[in-house]
Amino acid sequence: MSENIHIPIQGFVKNGFEKVKTTFEENFNIRKEIGASCCVYYKGEKVVDLWGGFRDKQKTLPWEEDTLSLVFSTTKGIASLAVAVLHSKGLLDYNEKVSSYWNEFAFNGKENITVRQLLSHQAGLYSNDKRLTYEVLTDEKLLSNCLAKQKPYWKVGDKQGYHAWTIGMYINEIVKRVDDKQRTIQQLVEDEIAKPLQAEFYIGLPNFIFDERVAELIPFMPLEAISGSDDRDFGKLIAAILNPFSAFYKSLLNPPFAINLNNFNKKKYNSLPLAAAHGFSNARNIAKIYNDFALRGKQLKLNEFAYNALEAKPIYPKTSKADYVLGVDIPFSLGLAKPSLYQDFGVNYRAYGTFGAGGSGGFADPEMQLAFAYVMNKMGTHIANDPRELSLRQATYECAIALEKTKINEKEYTS
């Protein structure tokens, strides 16, 4: 960023979390941030709420307190929390067969796939033989039929392969059939998560949101993907990205409109209620949602079994820990990512959340009673652990752990 452009950064940090603000500023100065927000809750208190930069590529429109941005796969986590609400109500059993709720799903050898296996990205349904064009996506019956007829690409449980788009479509089909009000996943998130927590999170950008509130998505340039030295760079996957027969291409680039990232700035596409990637929000709202789960339901009050299920260790597939599509170790459980050596968030396996293409992410850490979220508009080139998000996450834990140690020392001193 040129030195003569003032970077507007606003918000606050509580005492003890000053390093998060310093890191947020560093993202603009040394990590090419354009516009972003970061929010952290710790033990139920909002301790970080920062936003700044610009919401457009030309750097003329400031990122405001209520600016919303497309968060891609960070959407998957919020959708999965809504599914957990149905589980808590006894309307859905993770260990039940999907075909028990959706009879047509049993076609082509899928009759024994459980909800848990599907949500763990182990069902072999990471793509669809049908091109999921705009016309297919907007035809509810046709899309449902395509999903039901799809043959798994492997024996369920043998592998994990990232269902980049299809997981949200399958979740929606299940939700419509088990919800007592026959709501879509879009409606379920709004009614059971967003409204009770007074948080803004939309699956598909609604017509009533003015364009001035929405940040422009700024895609990464091809050169950015191949010039980085970091081994997590998309450049290592360039062959798969360009190969229409690769698992990566089939999973991430079907729907075909996803091939051109600029399409995500078009109302025609970003209004589609796709629960895998079309979430619009900001860090404040995502952190607020995860905070309630980190506290085990201060407001939503799911039952204990639902929280235990979310916090349980992931069940790895039989053949390899590495994801068949992404090529890295990111385990999934009940639709949410769990910590691993590759993506080390939280202090132990109880943590859960999801991270989106380009860098966004949000998660709950029940052990620390901490919720974290980061949202930006300039896309990075990492599968996960974008340097901007990672630096903020690490700064957050450095501050929280330091506070924990201080409290322990004070307790020992006064006892």
Side-chain angles (χ1 to χ4, degrees):
M1 181 175 290
S2 59
E3 293 181 0
N4 62 344
I5 297 179
H6 172 66
I7 305 169
I9 292 175
Q10 301 182 66
F12 73 92
V13 294
K14 292 282 187 178
N15 291 341
F17 286 87
E18 291 85 358
K19 186 172 183 179
V20 181
K21 183 178 181 181
T22 301
T23 304
F24 190 72
E25 292 169 342
E26 287 176 351
N27 279 348
F28 290 91
N29 295 324
I30 65 177
R31 300 186 185 97
K32 301 180 180 180
E33 190 75 274
I34 292 181
S37 58
C38 178
C39 186
V40 178
Y41 280 79
Y42 178 56
K43 297 190 182 301
E45 180 184 10
K46 184 162 61 175
V47 294
V48 174
D49 189 2
L50 297 168
W51 63 93
F54 303 91
R55 65 178 191 270
D56 66 323
K57 186 177 181 179
Q58 291 72 31
K59 302 170 189 171
T60 60
L61 305 171
W63 186 294
E64 305 286 358
E65 182 176 5
D66 65 347
T67 294
L68 305 174
S69 184
L70 178 65
V71 299
F72 285 115
S73 289
T74 301
T75 312
K76 290 180 174 68
I78 306 302
S80 298
L81 296 181
V83 173
V85 173
L86 296 183
H87 174 68
S88 179
K89 291 183 176 182
L91 297 172
L92 176 142
D93 184 343
Y94 291 127
N95 296 317
E96 184 58 83
K97 297 174 182 178
V98 176
S99 58
S100 296
Y101 302 120
W102 178 14
N103 294 336
E104 294 82 0
F105 181 84
F107 188 83
N108 241 335
K110 301 193 298 299
E111 62 273 6
N112 292 319
I113 294 175
T114 65
V115 175
R116 182 182 297 277
Q117 290 169 325
L118 177 62
L119 294 180
S120 298
H121 298 249
Q122 295 181 23
L125 300 170
Y126 67 86
S127 188
N128 198 276
D129 293 338
K130 180 86 172 178
R131 291 182 78 246
L132 301 175
T133 62
Y134 179 83
E135 290 70 27
V136 174
L137 295 174
T138 52
D139 187 326
E140 185 176 9
K141 290 184 178 180
L142 178 57
L143 177 59
S144 178
N145 189 50
C146 291
L147 296 171
K149 286 188 174 182
Q150 181 61 40
K151 183 178 180 180
Y153 289 94
W154 60 73
K155 183 180 178 182
V156 62
D158 279 2
K159 302 176 184 178
Q160 174 192 300
Y162 192 51
H163 295 34
W165 288 96
T166 56
I167 192 69
M169 300 174 196
Y170 280 112
I171 285 175
N172 187 47
E173 293 296 329
I174 295 170
V175 166
K176 288 189 299 183
R177 288 163 172 81
V178 304
D179 180 55
D180 52 353
K181 299 177 183 177
Q182 297 182 313
R183 291 170 291 186
T184 63
I185 184 61
Q186 177 190 32
Q187 295 164 332
L188 187 70
V189 166
E190 179 68 15
D191 294 345
E192 301 290 348
I193 301 290
K195 284 183 178 178
L197 296 176
Q198 295 183 312
E200 272 195 297
F201 194 98
Y202 306 107
I203 296 181
L205 188 63
N207 289 326
F208 61 79
I209 298 296
F210 295 115
D211 291 344
E212 290 76 14
R213 287 197 59 200
V214 183
E216 175 188 3
L217 181 73
I218 305 170
F220 60 82
M221 301 299 291
L223 186 61
E224 293 178 86
I226 61 176
S227 62
S229 59
D230 194 305
D231 63 3
R232 299 182 184 120
D233 193 273
F234 270 140
K236 298 198 70 173
L237 290 168
I238 196 69
I241 293 171
L242 298 175
N243 178 9
F245 301 102
S246 72
F248 185 92
Y249 189 102
K250 288 181 178 179
S251 180
L252 276 79
L253 300 179
N254 186 21
F257 74 78
I259 295 172
N260 182 355
L261 291 171
N262 289 301
N263 282 332
F264 293 102
N265 284 316
K266 298 177 181 178
K267 190 71 174 179
K268 174 181 178 180
Y269 298 110
N270 64 25
S271 62
L272 291 171
L274 300 176
H278 278 192
F280 283 82
S281 190
N282 54 36
R284 180 184 307 104
N285 289 288
I286 294 170
K288 180 186 283 188
I289 292 170
Y290 276 113
N291 174 58
D292 200 67
F293 283 83
L295 298 177
R296 286 188 147 230
K298 186 175 181 181
Q299 290 176 265
L300 295 183
K301 301 186 186 304
L302 277 63
N303 63 34
E304 183 179 359
F305 299 105
Y307 293 114
N308 289 343
L310 291 170
E311 296 172 19
K313 291 181 179 180
I315 300 172
Y316 276 97
K318 297 176 183 178
T319 58
S320 172
K321 285 187 175 182
D323 187 278
Y324 178 72
V325 172
L326 301 176
V328 295
D329 174 18
I330 302 178
F332 283 89
S333 179
L334 309 183
L336 293 128
K338 301 289 283 187
S340 65
L341 289 176
Y342 173 72
Q343 191 174 39
D344 187 17
F345 64 95
V347 294
N348 59 23
Y349 66 84
R350 292 179 64 197
Y352 53 88
T354 55
F355 299 79
S360 70
F363 64 87
D365 182 346
E367 189 76 27
M368 289 284 287
Q369 292 189 314
L370 185 147
F372 170 92
Y374 163 75
V375 170
M376 76 307 131
N377 60 350
K378 173 64 174 75
M379 294 185 69
T381 59
H382 292 66
I383 292 174
N385 299 316
D386 181 283
R388 297 162 297 174
E389 181 275 324
L390 179 60
S391 64
L392 288 166
R393 190 198 328 156
Q394 291 175 334
T396 295
Y397 274 88
E398 185 177 325
C399 294
I401 291 172
L403 286 174
E404 290 281 321
K405 290 180 179 178
T406 299
K407 290 177 182 177
I408 291 173
N409 291 337
E410 289 176 348
K411 184 176 180 180
E412 290 177 348
Y413 179 77
T414 58
S415 62

